[in-house]
Amino acid sequence: MVAAGRHYGLVIETCVPYDPETKGGSESSVKIAKADLVPTEANLLDDYPSFGALVTGCDDFCQVVNTRPHTETRRPPVQMLQKSGR
Protein backbone atom coordinates (compact mmCIF):
# COMPACT_ATOMS: atom_id res chain seq x y z
CA MET A 1 0.00 0.00 0.00
CA VAL A 2 2.80 2.39 0.85
CA ALA A 3 4.51 1.76 -2.50
CA ALA A 4 1.22 2.24 -4.42
CA GLY A 5 0.52 5.43 -2.47
CA ARG A 6 3.99 6.75 -3.17
CA HIS A 7 3.57 5.96 -6.88
CA TYR A 8 0.38 8.04 -7.06
CA GLY A 9 1.71 10.79 -4.79
CA LEU A 10 -0.45 9.87 -1.81
CA VAL A 11 0.39 9.62 1.85
CA ILE A 12 -1.04 6.67 3.74
CA GLU A 13 -2.51 7.70 7.08
CA THR A 14 -4.11 5.40 9.61
CA CYS A 15 -6.95 5.92 12.01
CA VAL A 16 -8.87 4.05 14.64
CA PRO A 17 -10.96 1.63 12.51
CA TYR A 18 -14.09 1.88 14.65
CA ASP A 19 -14.40 5.66 14.32
CA PRO A 20 -14.68 6.67 10.63
CA GLU A 21 -16.30 10.02 11.52
CA THR A 22 -12.94 11.32 12.74
CA LYS A 23 -11.27 10.72 9.39
CA GLY A 24 -11.34 13.21 6.55
CA GLY A 25 -12.47 13.00 2.97
CA SER A 26 -15.11 10.53 1.93
CA GLU A 27 -15.20 8.89 5.35
CA SER A 28 -16.83 12.01 6.77
CA SER A 29 -19.89 11.04 4.73
CA VAL A 30 -20.61 8.55 7.53
CA LYS A 31 -21.08 11.48 9.89
CA ILE A 32 -23.36 13.25 7.39
CA ALA A 33 -25.39 10.10 6.77
CA LYS A 34 -25.88 9.49 10.47
CA ALA A 35 -26.88 13.09 11.11
CA ASP A 36 -29.02 13.93 8.09
CA LEU A 37 -29.85 11.01 5.82
CA VAL A 38 -30.82 8.18 8.17
CA PRO A 39 -33.88 9.01 10.25
CA THR A 40 -33.16 7.98 13.81
CA GLU A 41 -36.81 7.27 14.59
CA ALA A 42 -37.09 4.71 11.77
CA ASN A 43 -36.56 1.08 12.66
CA LEU A 44 -36.98 -1.25 9.69
CA LEU A 45 -36.47 -4.47 11.63
CA ASP A 46 -40.20 -4.99 12.11
CA ASP A 47 -40.96 -4.42 8.40
CA TYR A 48 -38.02 -6.40 6.97
CA PRO A 49 -37.10 -9.49 8.98
CA SER A 50 -34.16 -10.34 6.69
CA PHE A 51 -31.78 -8.59 4.34
CA GLY A 52 -33.40 -10.41 1.42
CA ALA A 53 -36.77 -8.93 2.37
CA LEU A 54 -35.20 -5.46 2.46
CA VAL A 55 -33.69 -5.97 -1.01
CA THR A 56 -37.08 -7.07 -2.33
CA GLY A 57 -38.68 -3.98 -0.78
CA CYS A 58 -36.06 -1.74 -2.41
CA ASP A 59 -36.60 -3.44 -5.78
CA ASP A 60 -40.35 -2.93 -5.47
CA PHE A 61 -39.83 0.75 -4.63
CA CYS A 62 -37.50 1.24 -7.60
CA GLN A 63 -40.07 -0.42 -9.88
CA VAL A 64 -42.72 2.09 -8.74
CA VAL A 65 -40.42 5.12 -9.01
CA ASN A 66 -38.76 4.19 -12.29
CA THR A 67 -42.02 3.50 -14.11
CA ARG A 68 -43.63 6.79 -13.09
CA PRO A 69 -43.34 9.68 -15.62
CA HIS A 70 -40.71 12.26 -14.74
CA THR A 71 -41.99 15.82 -14.25
CA GLU A 72 -39.54 17.35 -16.75
CA THR A 73 -39.20 14.72 -19.49
CA ARG A 74 -42.72 13.30 -19.13
CA ARG A 75 -41.17 9.88 -19.67
CA PRO A 76 -40.52 7.16 -17.11
CA PRO A 77 -36.85 6.84 -16.08
CA VAL A 78 -36.92 3.17 -17.11
CA GLN A 79 -37.31 4.30 -20.76
CA MET A 80 -34.38 6.69 -20.42
CA LEU A 81 -32.22 3.93 -18.92
CA GLN A 82 -33.09 1.55 -21.79
CA LYS A 83 -32.25 4.21 -24.35
CA SER A 84 -28.82 4.87 -22.81
CA GLY A 85 -28.01 1.15 -22.83
CA ARG A 86 -27.88 0.69 -19.07
Side-chain angles (χ1 to χ4, degrees):
M1 284 303 247
V2 173
R6 194 175 302 126
H7 175 76
Y8 290 104
L10 303 172
V11 176
I12 305 296
E13 294 184 17
T14 62
C15 69
V16 179
Y18 60 84
D19 193 13
E21 293 93 335
T22 61
K23 294 171 63 180
S26 62
E27 288 82 2
S28 67
S29 61
V30 172
K31 180 172 45 178
I32 294 168
K34 283 184 177 179
D36 298 328
L37 302 177
V38 179
T40 56
E41 65 276 357
N43 185 348
L44 301 177
L45 289 176
D46 294 335
D47 297 330
Y48 302 101
S50 69
F51 187 74
L54 177 61
V55 169
T56 301
C58 290
D59 289 342
D60 294 344
F61 174 76
C62 287
Q63 182 67 26
V64 169
V65 172
N66 287 328
T67 56
R68 194 170 49 193
H70 189 271
T71 56
E72 292 293 320
T73 64
R74 304 285 185 230
R75 295 182 353 196
V78 71
Q79 287 180 356
M80 302 296 285
L81 291 171
Q82 289 171 348
K83 193 172 191 176
S84 69
R86 293 183 184 183

